[in-house]
Amino acid sequence: MATEFTTPPDGERIRVENGQPVVPDRPIIPFIEGDGIGPDIWNATQRVLDAAVERAFGGKKQIAWYEVFAGEKAHAAFGEWLPERTVQTVREYKVAIKGPLTTPVGGGIRSLNVALRHLLDLYACVRPVRWVRGVPSPVKRPQDMNMVIFRENTEDVYCGIEWESGTPEAQQLIAYLMDELGSKKIHPDSGVGIKPISPFGSKRLIGKAIRYAIDRERDSVTLVHKGNIMKFTEGAFKDWGYEVAQEQYGDATISEDELWASHGGKLPEGKLLIKDRIADSMFQQVLLRPREYAVLATPNLNGDYLSDACAAQVGGLGLAPGANMSDEIAFFEATHGTAPKYAGQDKVNPGSLILSGVMMLEHLGWGDAAERIQRAMEQAIEQKVVTYDLARQMDGAREVKTSQFASAIIENL
Ligand code: NAP
């Protein structure tokens, strides 16, 4: 693999028109292979994606891969963790994919993933959670879960506005809140965090979730919030959700209140149901009644918890795909970290990155290739040809290396 930026390969750029990608037959797609186990899982993923596209389109379509750099490889080659050229290239080419990146210790960068989301304004974290047949799961009917979680990426407690206990800033803020704004008593040695949630941030995220649900013919979008306690942040997120549904998709959507008031609880043909659930009850719902939920829209922290809980229900994070998106850019990624103790051993499960590649193919409108991979991976797992993480949970499994698991998928394409 290269260690310096090269000129783009032969191919064409993906354009975005009216929010939809316009995809040439040979799109140039930048990739970051990632740190730790990144190269192992990237090699496997690239082979599977290329083989599936070849099988689906017989050479008429092909991805022109363009390597760009971030993380340890960028630091070693250029002395920078996240070169501007990488960010600019992803901005230009609209669709990209990455392996996991090390979080540098010191050096002023909180996390490369957070930096990328911020620089590219990737405001929606999108996590489909669906069971892959054959994967061991802790619940009786993992096949009942088929949800896509849209988690807001830029606001809420995660945007990092906080002050440490005992610092002059924390004390100043506490005094201001109590003396000037008349807040309840706050213990003077508290650390303080601020949780901003805006109509701008909420509406664009929820609008994207609704658009997705309509495009994919899903039947509901659920707003997950803790508005019974935090009325002006979480409660407002819910209210803005109903507003955006009404303002932008009035003809296509119906609220749960209307559903019962005017339709006896039966969803009218072609309508998308907008409902909301308090976050704690939602954790019960995903376990007890998963079939009643299709697309979820959440503020940042609720979505963080819920994505991992839902992933656990279908067999864990090892196979969970994800993407971070703006209005124009879609950046697909493995959802686990760099697992440094397994780096270079050709050992770990490439499933998360491969399924992120499946999401990417769906986003390109190359559904035939996407479905082939999904089916082929299920077959490999049903044949019990799996990497160590699944093998240790399955009776009679044949444990294979990362590259061999990719080969087993390719054979099943
Ligand atoms: P991690 O890399 O996700 O690894 C934790 C454990 O999860 C591994 O020891 C392994 O468990 C299992 N695991 C992860 N990926 C797997 C795979 N593909 N196949 C099978 N098992 C897998 O989490 P971490 O050790 O907390 O983080 C390491 C580094 O990654 C840190 O620098 C962190 O900041 C970074 N990170 C990056 C991202 C990202 O780029 N999106 C996300 C999270 C963390 P067993 O040992 O039990 O088999």
Side-chain angles (χ1 to χ4, degrees):
M1 285 271 170
T3 48
E4 61 182 60
F5 286 101
T6 52
T7 50
D10 245 7
E12 282 177 73
R13 279 179 203 203
I14 294 170
R15 288 179 294 115
V16 175
E17 279 176 16
N18 301 322
Q20 298 297 325
V22 179
V23 183
D25 282 343
R26 199 178 151 76
I28 298 172
I29 298 192
F31 70 93
I32 296 168
E33 67 172 12
D35 298 325
I37 55 174
D40 283 348
I41 61 173
W42 172 252
N43 287 336
T45 300
Q46 191 178 6
R47 281 175 53 218
V48 170
L49 295 179
D50 284 343
V53 170
E54 169 64 32
R55 295 284 158 85
F57 305 112
K60 193 175 166 294
K61 295 180 192 289
Q62 195 181 28
I63 295 172
W65 297 110
Y66 183 16
E67 184 169 19
V68 294
F69 302 92
E72 284 165 7
K73 203 164 169 181
H75 192 248
F78 318 109
E80 288 177 84
W81 292 98
L82 184 57
E84 170 55 27
R85 175 142 176 207
T86 296
V87 178
Q88 191 49 34
T89 304
V90 175
R91 205 175 270 134
E92 274 169 33
Y93 288 91
K94 310 295 182 207
V95 173
I97 184 165
K98 62 178 272 296
L101 294 171
T102 303
T103 300
V105 180
I109 298 182
R110 204 147 60 102
S111 144
L112 294 173
N113 294 303
V114 173
L116 273 169
R117 282 172 211 170
H118 176 72
L119 290 166
L120 296 167
D121 195 25
L122 305 173
Y123 63 82
C125 173
V126 184
R127 295 266 185 97
V129 192
R130 185 169 50 173
W131 184 56
V132 177
R133 214 172 327 132
V135 173
S137 147
V139 299
K140 285 186 189 147
R141 295 186 53 79
Q143 64 271 33
D144 287 353
M145 171 153 308
N146 183 4
M147 293 178 202
V148 183
I149 302 173
F150 280 70
R151 168 188 171 203
E152 209 289 326
N153 248 346
T154 65
E155 302 195 321
D156 198 355
V157 288
Y158 262 41
C159 69
I161 309 177
E162 55 170 5
W163 289 273
E164 195 178 352
S165 159
T167 56
E169 291 83 0
Q171 285 165 353
Q172 214 177 329
L173 183 57
I174 290 168
Y176 180 74
L177 291 171
M178 288 192 340
D179 302 344
E180 303 289 326
L181 299 184
S183 84
K184 290 189 191 110
K185 182 170 166 38
I186 302 171
H187 216 277
D189 63 356
S190 302
V192 189
I194 290 195
K195 171 189 176 76
I197 293 190
S198 70
F200 169 77
S202 305
K203 284 184 167 181
R204 67 177 180 170
L205 182 271
I206 297 165
K208 199 172 188 62
I210 294 175
R211 178 79 263 158
Y212 177 95
I214 292 172
D215 290 347
R216 309 292 171 108
E217 298 180 3
R218 302 302 302 262
D219 61 5
S220 69
V221 171
T222 304
L223 311 166
V224 184
H225 62 93
K226 190 70 188 158
N228 53 333
I229 303 297
M230 291 168 275
K231 296 190 176 16
F232 305 129
T233 49
E234 303 253 340
F237 175 86
K238 171 200 67 175
D239 295 341
W240 293 321
Y242 283 114
E243 266 176 47
V244 77
Q246 185 60 42
E247 289 162 4
Q248 292 178 21
Y249 301 99
D251 290 344
T253 60
I254 183 170
S255 71
E256 214 169 21
D257 285 349
E258 266 178 276
L259 183 74
W260 287 101
S262 314
H263 302 276
K266 193 171 177 311
L267 187 63
E269 184 74 19
K271 289 273 189 187
L272 172 70
L273 178 62
I274 310 293
K275 50 189 175 179
D276 73 275
R277 294 290 179 272
I278 304 280
D280 38 79
S281 126
M282 193 64 211
F283 278 86
Q284 298 192 25
Q285 295 287 303
V286 295
L287 270 170
L288 301 174
R289 312 167 80 115
R291 288 160 61 116
E292 292 178 17
Y293 299 91
V295 175
L296 313 182
T298 78
N300 191 286
L301 186 61
N302 298 337
D304 190 18
Y305 297 152
L306 205 49
S307 306
D308 281 15
C310 290
Q313 222 168 296
V314 292
L317 278 174
L319 283 169
N324 291 292
M325 298 187 174
S326 70
D327 289 335
E328 296 217 327
I329 298 166
F331 206 156
F332 299 85
E333 66 170 5
T335 52
H336 53 72
T338 59
K341 66 181 174 186
Y342 299 122
Q345 293 179 27
D346 194 19
K347 180 177 173 79
V348 297
N349 190 343
S352 170
L353 193 56
I354 292 175
L355 291 174
S356 300
V358 168
M359 271 179 94
M360 187 184 84
L361 294 173
E362 286 168 354
H363 178 79
L364 300 182
W366 294 8
D368 188 6
E371 279 162 30
R372 276 169 196 264
I373 300 175
Q374 182 82 26
R375 272 199 310 271
M377 186 187 283
E378 282 180 0
Q379 276 169 16
I381 293 172
E382 278 178 328
Q383 291 154 359
K384 299 194 175 190
V385 179
V386 289
T387 46
Y388 83 99
D389 53 315
L390 294 181
R392 68 188 169 188
Q393 303 176 61
M394 291 162 84
D395 287 333
R398 180 156 75 84
E399 182 181 325
V400 293
K401 292 176 176 296
T402 311
S403 54
Q404 293 170 321
F405 183 61
S407 301
I409 296 174
I410 292 169
E411 275 163 30
N412 286 322
L413 284 171

